[in-house]
Amino acid sequence: MHRSAPRLTRILACAAVPVMLVVAGCSSDSDSKSKDSATASPTPEAKKSPTVAPATFGKLPEPCDSIGEKTIEDLVPSAKSKSGTEGKSSDISRRGSCSWNGLDDNGVKGSQYRWLDVSFLRYESDATLAVSAEQRAEESYDKEIAKAQASEGAKDVKTSPAAGIGDEATTVTYKLRKTGEDFTYATVVARTENGVVTLTYNGTGYAGAKNPSTSDITKGAVKAAKEAVASVATANK
Protein backbone atom coordinates (compact mmCIF):
# COMPACT_ATOMS: atom_id res chain seq x y z
CA MET A 1 0.00 0.00 0.00
CA HIS A 2 2.78 2.44 0.85
CA ARG A 3 4.60 1.61 -2.37
CA SER A 4 1.60 2.30 -4.63
CA ALA A 5 1.09 5.87 -3.44
CA PRO A 6 4.21 7.35 -5.09
CA ARG A 7 3.45 5.43 -8.26
CA LEU A 8 -0.08 6.83 -8.42
CA THR A 9 1.26 10.31 -7.89
CA ARG A 10 3.60 9.90 -10.86
CA ILE A 11 0.82 8.62 -13.10
CA LEU A 12 -1.44 11.55 -12.27
CA ALA A 13 1.38 14.03 -12.90
CA CYS A 14 2.12 12.57 -16.32
CA ALA A 15 -1.55 12.52 -17.23
CA ALA A 16 -1.82 16.22 -16.45
CA VAL A 17 0.94 17.22 -18.89
CA PRO A 18 -1.03 16.85 -22.18
CA VAL A 19 -3.92 18.81 -20.74
CA MET A 20 -1.65 21.72 -19.88
CA LEU A 21 -0.07 21.60 -23.34
CA VAL A 22 -3.46 21.72 -25.01
CA VAL A 23 -4.53 24.67 -22.92
CA ALA A 24 -1.30 26.45 -23.68
CA GLY A 25 -1.71 25.74 -27.37
CA CYS A 26 -5.23 27.18 -27.44
CA SER A 27 -4.11 30.23 -25.56
CA SER A 28 -1.28 30.82 -28.04
CA ASP A 29 -3.59 30.47 -31.05
CA SER A 30 -6.13 32.85 -29.53
CA ASP A 31 -3.43 35.44 -28.85
CA SER A 32 -2.14 35.10 -32.43
CA LYS A 33 -5.59 35.73 -33.90
CA SER A 34 -6.07 38.68 -31.59
CA LYS A 35 -2.77 40.18 -32.75
CA ASP A 36 -3.63 39.54 -36.40
CA SER A 37 -6.97 41.32 -35.95
CA ALA A 38 -5.28 44.25 -34.27
CA THR A 39 -2.64 44.64 -36.98
CA ALA A 40 -4.92 44.02 -40.00
CA SER A 41 -5.28 47.06 -42.25
CA PRO A 42 -8.71 48.69 -42.34
CA THR A 43 -10.95 47.97 -45.31
CA PRO A 44 -10.45 50.73 -47.93
CA GLU A 45 -13.46 52.94 -48.53
CA ALA A 46 -15.30 52.53 -51.81
CA LYS A 47 -14.29 55.05 -54.42
CA LYS A 48 -16.72 57.91 -54.63
CA SER A 49 -18.16 58.98 -57.98
CA PRO A 50 -16.73 62.28 -59.22
CA THR A 51 -18.98 65.27 -58.73
CA VAL A 52 -19.62 67.82 -61.47
CA ALA A 53 -21.50 71.10 -61.43
CA PRO A 54 -25.18 70.77 -62.38
CA ALA A 55 -26.54 72.35 -65.57
CA THR A 56 -27.55 76.00 -65.20
CA PHE A 57 -30.36 75.89 -67.75
CA GLY A 58 -32.90 73.09 -67.61
CA LYS A 59 -34.91 73.96 -70.71
CA LEU A 60 -34.90 75.85 -73.99
CA PRO A 61 -37.15 78.63 -75.23
CA GLU A 62 -39.74 78.12 -77.94
CA PRO A 63 -37.49 78.58 -81.01
CA CYS A 64 -40.00 80.56 -83.06
CA ASP A 65 -40.66 82.91 -80.13
CA SER A 66 -36.97 83.56 -79.44
CA ILE A 67 -36.77 86.54 -81.83
CA GLY A 68 -39.18 89.47 -81.65
CA GLU A 69 -41.76 90.14 -84.37
CA LYS A 70 -40.32 93.59 -85.05
CA THR A 71 -36.88 92.12 -85.67
CA ILE A 72 -38.34 89.52 -88.03
CA GLU A 73 -40.15 92.26 -89.97
CA ASP A 74 -36.92 94.25 -90.30
CA LEU A 75 -34.68 91.35 -91.27
CA VAL A 76 -37.09 89.28 -93.37
CA PRO A 77 -39.45 91.64 -95.22
CA SER A 78 -42.48 89.88 -96.70
CA ALA A 79 -41.76 86.73 -94.69
CA LYS A 80 -43.91 83.81 -95.79
CA SER A 81 -44.75 83.17 -92.16
CA LYS A 82 -43.99 85.77 -89.51
CA SER A 83 -44.44 83.11 -86.85
CA GLY A 84 -41.66 81.04 -88.47
CA THR A 85 -41.35 77.38 -89.35
CA GLU A 86 -40.23 75.22 -86.44
CA GLY A 87 -37.78 72.40 -87.13
CA LYS A 88 -38.46 68.84 -86.05
CA SER A 89 -36.80 67.64 -82.84
CA SER A 90 -36.85 64.32 -81.00
CA ASP A 91 -36.17 66.12 -77.71
CA ILE A 92 -37.32 69.74 -77.53
CA SER A 93 -35.71 70.16 -74.10
CA ARG A 94 -32.27 69.64 -75.65
CA ARG A 95 -32.52 70.94 -79.20
CA GLY A 96 -34.80 73.12 -81.29
CA SER A 97 -34.80 75.41 -84.34
CA CYS A 98 -36.90 77.84 -86.34
CA SER A 99 -36.53 79.58 -89.71
CA TRP A 100 -38.04 82.46 -91.64
CA ASN A 101 -37.70 83.37 -95.31
CA GLY A 102 -39.28 85.84 -97.67
CA LEU A 103 -38.97 87.65 -101.02
CA ASP A 104 -39.57 91.38 -100.97
CA ASP A 105 -40.65 92.16 -104.56
CA ASN A 106 -39.96 95.75 -105.60
CA GLY A 107 -41.14 95.45 -109.19
CA VAL A 108 -38.77 96.98 -111.74
CA LYS A 109 -36.33 97.77 -108.91
CA GLY A 110 -35.80 94.08 -108.39
CA SER A 111 -36.38 91.93 -105.34
CA GLN A 112 -34.63 91.18 -102.10
CA TYR A 113 -34.56 87.68 -100.65
CA ARG A 114 -33.76 87.05 -96.97
CA TRP A 115 -33.47 83.91 -94.91
CA LEU A 116 -33.00 83.64 -91.14
CA ASP A 117 -32.45 80.50 -89.09
CA VAL A 118 -31.83 79.97 -85.39
CA SER A 119 -31.00 76.72 -83.58
CA PHE A 120 -30.57 75.86 -79.90
CA LEU A 121 -28.61 73.10 -78.18
CA ARG A 122 -28.66 72.41 -74.44
CA TYR A 123 -26.34 70.09 -72.53
CA GLU A 124 -26.53 68.19 -69.24
CA SER A 125 -23.62 67.31 -66.95
CA ASP A 126 -22.17 63.80 -67.25
CA ALA A 127 -21.00 62.50 -63.86
CA THR A 128 -19.68 59.22 -65.30
CA LEU A 129 -17.19 61.16 -67.44
CA ALA A 130 -16.72 63.95 -64.89
CA VAL A 131 -17.72 66.50 -67.54
CA SER A 132 -19.96 69.44 -66.67
CA ALA A 133 -22.78 70.70 -68.86
CA GLU A 134 -20.85 73.92 -69.43
CA GLN A 135 -17.76 72.02 -70.62
CA ARG A 136 -19.87 70.07 -73.07
CA ALA A 137 -21.39 73.30 -74.35
CA GLU A 138 -17.90 74.76 -74.82
CA GLU A 139 -16.94 71.79 -76.99
CA SER A 140 -20.13 72.14 -79.03
CA TYR A 141 -19.51 75.86 -79.43
CA ASP A 142 -16.12 75.20 -81.05
CA LYS A 143 -17.62 72.55 -83.33
CA GLU A 144 -20.41 74.87 -84.52
CA ILE A 145 -17.87 77.56 -85.41
CA ALA A 146 -15.77 75.05 -87.35
CA LYS A 147 -18.89 73.85 -89.15
CA ALA A 148 -19.76 77.40 -90.27
CA GLN A 149 -16.19 78.00 -91.42
CA ALA A 150 -16.27 74.82 -93.49
CA SER A 151 -19.56 75.56 -95.31
CA GLU A 152 -19.40 73.89 -98.71
CA GLY A 153 -18.68 76.35 -101.51
CA ALA A 154 -18.06 79.24 -99.11
CA LYS A 155 -15.71 81.99 -100.31
CA ASP A 156 -14.04 84.90 -98.56
CA VAL A 157 -14.61 83.31 -95.14
CA LYS A 158 -13.85 85.63 -92.24
CA THR A 159 -14.13 84.98 -88.51
CA SER A 160 -14.29 87.55 -85.72
CA PRO A 161 -15.40 87.72 -82.07
CA ALA A 162 -18.89 89.03 -81.37
CA ALA A 163 -18.90 91.08 -78.18
CA GLY A 164 -21.85 91.37 -75.84
CA ILE A 165 -23.56 88.08 -76.73
CA GLY A 166 -23.75 85.40 -74.04
CA ASP A 167 -20.56 84.13 -72.38
CA GLU A 168 -18.73 83.96 -75.70
CA ALA A 169 -19.69 84.46 -79.32
CA THR A 170 -18.13 84.38 -82.78
CA THR A 171 -19.28 85.68 -86.16
CA VAL A 172 -18.41 83.86 -89.39
CA THR A 173 -19.12 85.67 -92.67
CA TYR A 174 -18.76 84.38 -96.22
CA LYS A 175 -20.08 84.51 -99.78
CA LEU A 176 -21.86 81.60 -101.42
CA ARG A 177 -23.14 81.22 -104.95
CA LYS A 178 -26.30 79.15 -105.41
CA THR A 179 -29.23 79.07 -107.83
CA GLY A 180 -27.16 81.32 -110.04
CA GLU A 181 -27.02 84.14 -107.50
CA ASP A 182 -24.40 85.39 -105.05
CA PHE A 183 -25.56 85.20 -101.44
CA THR A 184 -24.07 87.02 -98.47
CA TYR A 185 -23.96 84.99 -95.23
CA ALA A 186 -23.36 85.75 -91.55
CA THR A 187 -23.45 83.07 -88.87
CA VAL A 188 -23.27 83.94 -85.19
CA VAL A 189 -22.41 81.13 -82.78
CA ALA A 190 -22.87 81.94 -79.11
CA ARG A 191 -22.61 80.05 -75.83
CA THR A 192 -24.63 80.97 -72.78
CA GLU A 193 -23.81 78.72 -69.79
CA ASN A 194 -24.74 75.18 -70.93
CA GLY A 195 -26.58 76.32 -74.05
CA VAL A 196 -25.33 76.97 -77.59
CA VAL A 197 -27.16 79.21 -80.05
CA THR A 198 -26.34 79.24 -83.76
CA LEU A 199 -28.00 81.90 -85.89
CA THR A 200 -27.53 82.26 -89.65
CA TYR A 201 -28.76 85.18 -91.74
CA ASN A 202 -28.30 85.50 -95.49
CA GLY A 203 -29.70 87.26 -98.53
CA THR A 204 -29.31 88.25 -102.16
CA GLY A 205 -30.77 90.63 -104.72
CA TYR A 206 -32.82 89.38 -107.67
CA ALA A 207 -33.68 90.91 -111.05
CA GLY A 208 -30.90 93.48 -110.96
CA ALA A 209 -31.32 94.47 -107.32
CA LYS A 210 -28.13 95.17 -105.41
CA ASN A 211 -26.89 92.42 -103.14
CA PRO A 212 -26.84 93.15 -99.40
CA SER A 213 -23.45 94.07 -97.96
CA THR A 214 -21.60 91.84 -95.52
CA SER A 215 -21.81 94.67 -92.99
CA ASP A 216 -25.63 94.90 -93.19
CA ILE A 217 -26.10 91.15 -93.03
CA THR A 218 -23.74 90.89 -90.05
CA LYS A 219 -25.53 93.66 -88.16
CA GLY A 220 -28.84 91.90 -88.69
CA ALA A 221 -27.44 88.56 -87.57
CA VAL A 222 -25.91 90.02 -84.40
CA LYS A 223 -29.14 91.83 -83.50
CA ALA A 224 -31.19 88.63 -83.84
CA ALA A 225 -28.58 86.53 -82.05
CA LYS A 226 -28.68 88.80 -79.00
CA GLU A 227 -32.43 88.31 -78.73
CA ALA A 228 -32.17 84.55 -79.20
CA VAL A 229 -29.49 84.20 -76.52
CA ALA A 230 -31.43 86.39 -74.08
CA SER A 231 -34.50 84.19 -74.59
CA VAL A 232 -32.67 81.20 -73.08
CA ALA A 233 -32.30 82.90 -69.71
CA THR A 234 -35.87 84.20 -69.90
CA ALA A 235 -37.22 80.70 -70.50
CA ASN A 236 -35.48 79.46 -67.34
CA LYS A 237 -36.74 82.11 -64.93
Side-chain angles (χ1 to χ4, degrees), residues 184-196:
T184 304
Y185 275 77
T187 295
V188 178
V189 181
R191 181 184 67 80
T192 173
E193 301 291 354
N194 58 307
V196 176

Side-chain angles (χ1 to χ4, degrees), residues 63-109:
C64 294
D65 293 334
S66 64
I67 301 174
E69 290 184 8
K70 181 63 170 63
T71 299
I72 297 299
E73 290 177 0
D74 291 342
L75 301 184
V76 191
S78 302
K80 292 180 180 179
S81 173
K82 291 183 179 181
S83 58
T85 302
E86 187 169 350
K88 294 181 179 180
S89 174
S90 58
D91 186 351
I92 58 175
S93 71
R94 293 177 182 258
R95 61 175 64 239
S97 64
C98 189
S99 62
W100 298 260
N101 68 85
L103 181 66
D104 186 21
D105 191 346
N106 295 306
V108 295
K109 294 183 179 180

Side-chain angles (χ1 to χ4, degrees), residues 145-154 157 172:
I145 294 173
K147 188 187 299 183
Q149 294 170 326
S151 297
E152 186 177 356
V157 180
V172 180

